[in-house]
Amino acid sequence: MLDYRNNIKRILQNTQADDQSLENSLNAIKAIIAMADNGKKSAKTNVNKISKPSNGNLANKNHFKNFFIAISKLIENPGDKQAKSSSLKALHKLSFIPGFGKDLGKEIGQLDQAIQASTETADSVNAKTFKEAVKVKKIKRDYRKGKRYTVIRLLSGADLINQNDEVAFSVNEAQAHSLNLKSGDVVEALPAAGSLDNQAEIIRVVGYKKLRQRDYDPIEDFKYAVVQGEQGRLAISRNINGQKLRIRGKNIVLPVDPSYYQGDSVHLEDGSIVDLAWYTGDIRLKKDPAKAIKIRWIYQVDQPKKNKRIKKDKKKQTQIEKIANLDLDLHYQRVGIAIGDNQNEQILEEIVARYNGIPFAIDAFEGKKKVIEKQIKDLDIVILVTAYAAHDSTWNIREFASKYNVNFAVSSSKGYQSFERALYRAANGLPSYEGTQSIEYQTKDK
């Protein structure tokens, strides 16, 4: 005999509180009890017979299973057309089982009428409405309808040109950046859904077309540039690889106004990484590069933690404040301090930082030639403190500073004021050595 207990539990769990649902469940349970009684009688009459399950018995079991699944869905969703149809089909298949339809014909007929009379309840309608409301509807788009366009890259975003050399659409910088678009790329695109400003959605890049120079404005870029400085005095001079920002053969220090780029999730500060771009033919590059260069993309990265010295020597700090009064702004240039290992290094670094420079210590006492060269080639300024440097290192530092066009000056004294003046001479292109000549050092107004 089949065990129908689990099926009865399932019917009860899906029974609603309304009269129609209760009646449907009652009829289904009556039919199950009648099936169980019929199976019990058959078992008593054949108790002495031992037989293997036949294919017919397995088929009957599947009919019952399908019926229980269908009737449970109907109880869960009263009046559902698909559930009613499935329940009636499953019930009719049960009626063809030999002996079953004959013994339970009346009950099967009642259940058939109850299934056909099942109607939607207020609860089922509300449940269906809620499911439809929360269901995420996917926008069906036929990507085979995408047309081909030629890309003209802009400082931010890009234009899509049709076969008539007209601007058909534009794409934002997010798409252009993610696809690494460049002028001449051939793409397939569709109008962006719900766009009111003629935006397009690029499906894929399918090729490249060499454009004539007169058909577009060439663009140069500087990727992964590092923003350095404190709020109100931010600037860019190099990227994360140490490469300097150079335009038309000259090193550029680009001031940055973060107020133009503030957003809810992305903003500019010391340590931010950005991409720069500019038109190579822009006449403003010569006199005012800041107006020609645009920040094209801001990367969302975690800002580096700044090292904070917990304790400071008050005497040294007071001394630095006294001497740091020259009219000098290094604009976050990299300054190499050629000095012996850890000899007054901290104070000299603080002097550089006070003038908005980025200090780097160079071991000029035991440093190897290749190591010194590697350190100097990426610097903007090198100050050699001869009192703390070995003779061989002195020649190497001067040689590499000249080789890589790094501004160079010498502090021949151990005093901090001598170092500060050497920094001033290097930054302003004055003689490397102070000597006996008269050099005017401009000071800040107090």
Side-chain angles (χ1 to χ4, degrees), residues 4-144:
Y4 300 111
R5 290 176 297 177
N6 291 332
N7 302 102
I8 293 176
K9 289 180 182 178
R10 186 173 180 183
I11 290 174
L12 292 174
Q13 289 173 353
N14 292 308
T15 302
Q16 305 294 326
D18 58 279
D19 294 339
Q20 185 65 52
S21 180
L22 290 170
E23 185 178 351
N24 291 343
S25 300
L26 179 61
N27 290 332
I29 293 172
K30 284 180 178 179
I32 292 172
I33 293 172
M35 294 175 203
D37 289 339
N38 186 57
K40 188 175 181 181
K41 291 177 183 178
S42 300
K44 287 181 179 179
T45 56
N46 298 292
V47 68
N48 295 323
K49 295 182 180 180
I50 301 175
S51 61
K52 296 181 179 179
S54 64
N55 292 333
N57 291 334
L58 293 175
N60 294 341
K61 184 176 180 180
N62 289 332
H63 290 329
F64 281 115
K65 181 179 179 181
N66 293 335
F67 171 74
F68 293 136
I69 292 173
I71 199 68
S72 297
K73 288 183 177 179
L74 181 60
I75 294 172
E76 185 178 358
N77 300 291
D80 184 78
K81 292 182 180 180
Q82 187 174 358
K84 287 171 66 173
S85 177
S86 300
S87 299
L88 290 172
K89 287 181 181 179
L91 183 61
H92 292 165
K93 288 182 179 180
L94 288 178
S95 66
F96 289 109
I97 297 176
F100 183 77
K102 182 179 179 181
D103 297 335
L104 300 173
K106 183 179 179 181
E107 288 78 3
I108 290 175
Q110 291 177 344
L111 186 56
D112 186 294
Q113 292 177 6
I115 292 173
Q116 293 187 44
S118 176
T119 57
E120 287 186 331
T121 64
D123 291 338
S124 64
V125 172
N126 292 337
K128 186 183 295 183
T129 303
F130 177 76
K131 289 181 180 178
E132 289 295 327
V134 299
K135 187 184 297 182
V136 178
K137 296 181 180 180
K138 295 183 179 179
I139 300 175
K140 294 183 179 180
R141 310 195 71 185
D142 189 356
Y143 287 100
R144 293 172 298 179

Side-chain angles (χ1 to χ4, degrees), residues 337-341 343 348 362-367 372 382-398 408-414 433:
I337 305 172
I339 193 172
D341 187 25
Q343 297 187 23
L348 300 183
I362 300 174
D363 188 354
F365 195 75
E366 296 182 354
I372 292 176
V382 171
I383 304 299
L384 173 63
V385 184
T386 55
Y388 297 130
H391 184 70
D392 292 343
S393 297
T394 300
W395 285 106
N396 292 335
I397 291 168
R398 293 179 61 183
F408 174 77
V410 174
S411 173
S412 56
S413 171
K414 297 180 181 180
Y433 294 88

Side-chain angles (χ1 to χ4, degrees), residues 339-353:
I339 193 172
D341 187 25
N342 291 327
Q343 297 187 23
N344 298 328
E345 177 183 315
Q346 178 182 340
I347 298 177
L348 300 183
E349 287 182 350
E350 290 178 1
I351 292 175
V352 172

